[in-house]
């Protein structure tokens, strides 16, 4: 714990006294008791943001889907499996948090009829019916007394344009756009490069380690959050 | 490596000079570049069997789906993702192995049309069409010069009856049946309890640690393998 404590001695305590809620990782949507649908999110970016926020003075709640990552020392981690469980945990926590950073790769769809018993492989072909999952970030951002809401947009083309539209449509305070057509960054990688948009500005960050990027992002989020509050 | 070497000094070298091929873990079946279907297999049982076989003198090849387990010191690990990749690796390796233990939780179905680009969440409902995957164990067990083939049967009811039918139908030399209706054992647990069947006998093992059970199973597999060869 001594080694983990060191960074906070050198980082500006820009989130001192603030409560930050972060989601990370994928969700798993059950097909039956043994099978599920998921995605390749490693959770690294969300965990790096949780650590950076804690090191900059915040009290952090990390709602995490299934990952292989160790629990960060200073965050209260709430483990969840499905998108619905993640929504429940986030809705319950959002009211007493100042900032919400939605970094999880939430499954867009869940299985319509989850089987209680393992499905037998009787047929040569099969189909799984899917229903849309709730949009966790949009749900929180539509609350009347909402926290400062930060989203991510992982796109393959027209990245800035699409991210800007998503920010407006979902009523976000900030959106972090990354181009996932570049295989060197993003999902499962330890590096990332992003452009951050907010209603009256934007800033790009060149490719760097996710932990270094997380510190830059938390500084920027803290700055915009304080500006919004002083308006 | 010194500590890992110790067990082999005390265990009987019942597989000295034998080559053992083992599959372990789940497979992942892609839906698109980011989403996939998988199952909750941890790979622990297969890895424990690989370690036990190596400690009892065998030269082990471990074809492993995605797991969080470290590569065993004495096995040649071939990492694979999908059932088709696992079949390819196993077919290539099976010809120069004496024993094949199929322990992986291979996905029964694969996605019919895997999307090259991330599927957009445009619709409220969606369906995924699935096709049956090849049966890896049955494919190997039907070869003319087949290795000694050992399968697993994870069942919730009529465990022995179903396992016995599966052994005959798939032309196996031995099958290891476990009752997965008991939540304390099997998938993701570190313990297991099984009944082993072969054409003219059977033996049950009470609940124990997967590594201890793996040693018992390898002894029994080695004994039956030698008996089959001497007939």
């Amino acid at each position: 714990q001594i080694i983990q404590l060191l960074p906070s001695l050198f980082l500006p305590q820009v989130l001192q006294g603030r409560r930050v809620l972060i989601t990370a990782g994928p969700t798993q949507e059950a097909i039956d008791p043994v099978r599920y649908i998921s995605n390749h999110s490693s959770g690294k970016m969300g965990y790096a943001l949780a650590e950076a926020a804690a090191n900059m003075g915040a009290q952090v709640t990390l709602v995490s889907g299934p990952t292989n990552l160790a629990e960060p020392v200073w965050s209260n981690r709430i483990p969840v499996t499905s998108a619905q469980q993640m929504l429940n945990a986030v809705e319950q926590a959002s009211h007493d948090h100042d900032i919400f950073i939605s970094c999880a790769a939430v499954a867009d769809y869940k299985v319509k009829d989850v089987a209680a018993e393992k499905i037998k492989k009787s047929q040569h072909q099969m189909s799984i019916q899917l229903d849309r999952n709730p949009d966790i970030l949009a749900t929180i951002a539509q609350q009347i007394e909402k926290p400062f809401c930060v989203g991510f947009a992982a796109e393959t083309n027209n990245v800035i344009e699409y991210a800007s539209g998503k920010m407006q449509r979902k009523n976000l305070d900030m959106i972090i756009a990354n181009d996932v057509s570049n295989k060197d960054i993003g999902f499962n990688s330890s590096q990332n490069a992003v452009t951050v948009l907010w209603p009256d500005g934007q800033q790009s960050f060149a490719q760097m380690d996710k932990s270094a990027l997380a510190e830059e992002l938390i500084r920027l989020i803290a700055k915009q959050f304080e500006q919004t509050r002083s308006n």
Side-chain angles (χ1 to χ4, degrees), chain A residues 60-74:
Chain A
V60 178
T61 302
L62 177 64
V63 178
S64 175
T67 75
N68 305 327
L69 303 172
E71 181 163 5
V73 177
W74 281 317

Side-chain angles (χ1 to χ4, degrees), chain A residues 43-221:
Chain A
K44 284 175 193 162
M45 193 68 232
Y47 277 60
L49 286 166
E51 193 177 340
N55 285 337
M56 294 193 198
Q59 189 180 316
V60 178
T61 302
L62 177 64
V63 178
S64 175
T67 75
N68 305 327
L69 303 172
E71 181 163 5
V73 177
W74 281 317
S75 85
N76 166 33
R77 182 167 69 170
I78 303 173
V80 297
T81 303
S82 68
Q84 186 61 53
Q85 287 171 359
M86 186 173 274
L87 174 63
N88 295 349
V90 166
E91 278 197 306
Q92 196 160 17
S94 68
H95 301 291
D96 60 3
H97 283 76
D98 304 294
I99 297 171
F100 173 43
I101 307 174
S102 173
C103 190
V106 182
D108 297 316
Y109 293 91
K110 65 185 165 200
V111 176
K112 193 184 173 93
D113 301 302
V114 179
E117 299 283 324
K118 187 182 167 190
I119 300 167
K120 288 278 180 191
K121 48 179 174 184
S122 48
Q123 306 137 292
H124 274 278
Q125 298 201 321
M126 211 181 107
S127 81
I128 303 176
Q129 304 303 316
L130 304 175
D131 278 344
R132 275 291 288 277
N133 261 325
D135 186 323
I136 297 174
L137 178 55
T139 303
I140 301 306
Q142 279 151 22
Q143 291 173 349
I144 294 169
E145 299 208 21
K146 72 178 182 77
F148 183 88
C149 287
V150 182
F152 275 76
E155 302 300 329
T156 50
N157 47 6
N158 302 326
V159 176
I160 302 304
E161 189 185 327
Y162 188 83
S164 174
K166 185 173 174 179
M167 176 169 65
Q168 287 170 37
R169 196 172 63 247
K170 293 196 182 185
N171 193 32
L172 309 184
D173 299 292
M174 188 176 256
I175 196 158
I176 300 164
N178 63 334
D179 182 347
V180 289
S181 65
N182 181 343
K183 302 283 178 201
D184 295 337
I185 58 175
F187 270 26
N188 264 325
S189 166
S190 62
Q191 298 224 322
N192 207 348
V194 302
T195 296
V196 184
L197 311 178
W198 55 96
D200 55 1
Q202 73 175 65
Q203 187 172 344
S204 289
F205 296 92
Q207 184 173 338
M208 65 180 101
D209 206 73
K210 282 181 178 175
S211 57
L213 178 62
E215 289 178 7
E216 297 290 342
L217 292 175
I218 292 296
R219 283 174 206 257
L220 186 53
I221 290 167

